Amino acid sequence: MAGKRERKAPEVNAGSMADIAFLLLIFFLVTTTIVVDKGVLVKLPPWSNEPPPEMKLNSRNVYSVLVNANNELLVRGEPKAIKDLRADTKEFIMNPSKKENMAEKPTKAIISLKNDRGTAYKTYLEVYNELKAAYNELRDEEARKRHGKPFEFLDRALQKEIRADIPLVISEAEPTNFGEEN
Amino acid sequence: MGKFTKKRGKSNPEVSTASLPDIIFMLLFFFMVVTVLRDADEKVKQNVPSATELTKLEKKSLVNYLRIGKPLPKYQAVYGTKPQLQLGDKIASMEDIPLFIENHRAKVNEAEIPKVISSLKIDGDVTMGIVTDVKTKLRKSGQLKVNYSAKPRAD
């Protein structure tokens, strides 16, 4: 070194480092999923001060689900586990074997959900989710049968048609007040 | 490299670009740290249940958030341990719901008011009593589109 002409030490080209960092920055910007809010969509019935009109419902069309303060399920008068609820609801709505005690047809089926003020929200949502899942699965099956495609890939009009044939009717009654609230 | 050898002796001082990546890294880290994903400070415990039939909340501007849960430990001295309702970033009572909904509607384009969704972020351990009261209030305020916030079930 000393004898030779003065030369700079060889430098590693750091110019492209910026590009690499930019690449990383963009990669993170693109892949970062800002927590998307998801949830079970529900449409509440409008409020009215008048008591709901008395409706004569054929009891065979009503699927009553009761959840008590101990988070136990009573479905049409019989205890049931949540994991069986979906299949049971589906059978009730479609009534494939035309039983006397199940819905005449899907459009007449009504799900009646009643809980207690002491019911855990977790259980409530689980039950609601199962009931909704039963309907969604039925619509999907119907879509595949009619059009050979899953429900979500159908056109709006066709979706509407199936929705009209299998309408989601979950009626929620005023909760009972036996259990302890936290 | 030729640039460096072209001029003999004292060359023009060049601005070093070697620190550019560092600056950009600094920016990257700054943004990674500073980005706040939550719009409001949570004052109540929020461990939402899991579900399968989920719908995505599309337009953030059309969503208002109602949180229910037990106050976090640091707020329990003030608000107690019973489940509380949180509107925006403060603990509120049932009576504040209509005003809260109304305030949000005022910010929304008039044509889009029917599309407003209330996202209920409710802790799984809360009992239905307070939830029912909130639902009743929402119905009375004409806010019928409700989304029970839930996380996807891992199975």
Side-chain angles (χ1 to χ4, degrees):
Chain A
M1 275 276 190
K4 283 182 187 167
R5 217 186 288 157
E6 215 178 294
R7 276 172 86 177
K8 282 180 182 163
E11 249 180 290
V12 180
N13 187 3
S16 53
M17 266 287 253
D19 301 52
I20 296 168
F22 261 125
L23 214 78
L24 272 175
L25 180 69
I26 290 162
F27 171 74
F28 276 110
L29 276 177
V30 171
T31 51
T32 309
T33 43
I34 297 166
V35 182
V36 268
D37 268 313
K38 285 182 171 183
V40 184
L41 198 65
V42 172
K43 195 145 180 11
L44 300 176
W47 180 263
S48 80
N49 288 320
E50 289 136 49
E54 279 288 318
M55 274 217 284
K56 278 255 156 61
L57 287 174
N58 197 334
S59 67
R60 68 176 282 190
N61 288 325
V62 180
Y63 189 79
S64 69
V65 180
L66 278 110
V67 193
N68 74 0
N70 294 328
N71 303 322
E72 291 156 345
L73 228 59
L74 198 71
V75 178
R76 308 194 98 190
E78 280 168 42
K80 197 167 237 56
I82 292 181
K83 62 174 171 49
D84 304 328
L85 187 63
R86 194 184 296 197
D88 200 62
T89 313
K90 280 168 77 176
E91 197 194 347
F92 165 80
I93 300 164
M94 292 315 274
N95 196 2
S97 47
K98 301 277 172 256
K99 281 189 187 148
E100 279 294 300
N101 60 347
M102 288 182 184
E104 286 169 59
K105 50 185 176 185
T107 44
K108 287 209 171 171
I110 288 176
I111 311 278
S112 156
L113 177 61
K114 192 170 183 172
N115 56 276
D116 190 88
R117 288 181 73 88
T119 307
Y121 172 70
K122 208 191 295 175
T123 315
Y124 167 80
L125 195 68
E126 216 178 329
V127 169
Y128 203 102
N129 182 59
E130 288 305 303
L131 295 174
K132 209 174 169 191
Y135 271 103
N136 285 345
E137 280 181 17
L138 284 176
R139 285 173 178 173
D140 202 49
E141 282 164 21
E142 196 64 25
R144 281 170 204 270
K145 203 159 70 188
R146 285 192 203 173
H147 311 289
K149 274 194 278 189
F151 184 71
E152 55 185 317
F153 294 133
L154 290 181
D155 300 333
R156 281 271 164 99
L158 294 175
Q159 282 193 352
K160 211 172 173 185
E161 208 173 276
I162 291 178
R163 252 193 223 124
D165 288 343
I166 310 177
L168 185 142
V169 189
I170 299 179
S171 139
E172 287 184 67
E174 270 297 302
T176 51
N177 195 2
F178 300 120
E180 209 166 295
E181 292 180 45
N182 66 6
Chain B
M1 275 301 169
K3 249 186 179 175
F4 293 105
T5 48
K6 215 188 274 173
K7 284 175 194 163
R8 295 260 168 86
K10 278 181 185 156
S11 57
N12 262 4
E14 246 179 293
V15 180
S16 161
T17 54
S19 54
L20 199 60
D22 301 52
I23 296 168
I24 288 159
F25 266 119
M26 225 162 71
L27 269 177
L28 177 70
F29 290 144
F30 174 74
F31 278 111
M32 279 172 79
V33 171
V34 162
T35 310
V36 184
L37 301 176
R38 254 182 235 120
D39 53 337
D41 199 21
E42 279 176 17
K43 288 205 164 78
V44 293
K45 190 181 147 212
Q46 297 270 270
N47 183 15
V48 294
S50 52
T52 55
E53 309 306 306
L54 300 175
T55 316
K56 231 191 227 169
L57 287 173
E58 297 288 357
K59 269 186 118 181
K60 278 271 160 65
S61 59
L62 295 179
V63 179
N64 50 48
Y65 295 95
L66 289 87
R67 298 161 207 271
I68 306 175
K70 284 185 179 156
L72 291 175
K74 57 181 167 178
Y75 296 113
Q76 279 180 0
V78 191
Y79 300 113
T81 55
K82 280 201 177 300
Q84 295 285 338
L85 172 71
Q86 182 187 342
L87 299 173
D89 51 7
K90 41 186 180 291
I91 304 274
S93 77
M94 294 293 151
E95 274 62 45
D96 301 327
I97 293 178
L99 192 66
F100 174 75
I101 298 291
E102 216 44 61
N103 279 343
H104 179 246
R105 278 186 189 159
K107 284 185 220 149
V108 175
N109 202 329
E110 202 159 325
E112 291 187 307
I113 286 180
K115 291 189 201 156
V116 170
I117 297 177
S118 280
S119 173
L120 293 181
K121 296 189 163 226
I122 308 174
D123 189 84
D125 298 329
V126 168
T127 49
M128 283 307 287
I130 183 167
V131 181
T132 308
D133 294 342
V134 168
K135 265 161 71 184
T136 310
K137 275 281 173 200
L138 285 175
R139 285 171 63 195
K140 282 182 177 168
S141 324
Q143 174 60 49
L144 303 177
K145 273 190 158 182
V146 160
N147 187 303
Y148 294 121
S149 192
K151 47 184 183 238
R153 191 178 289 165
D155 61 8

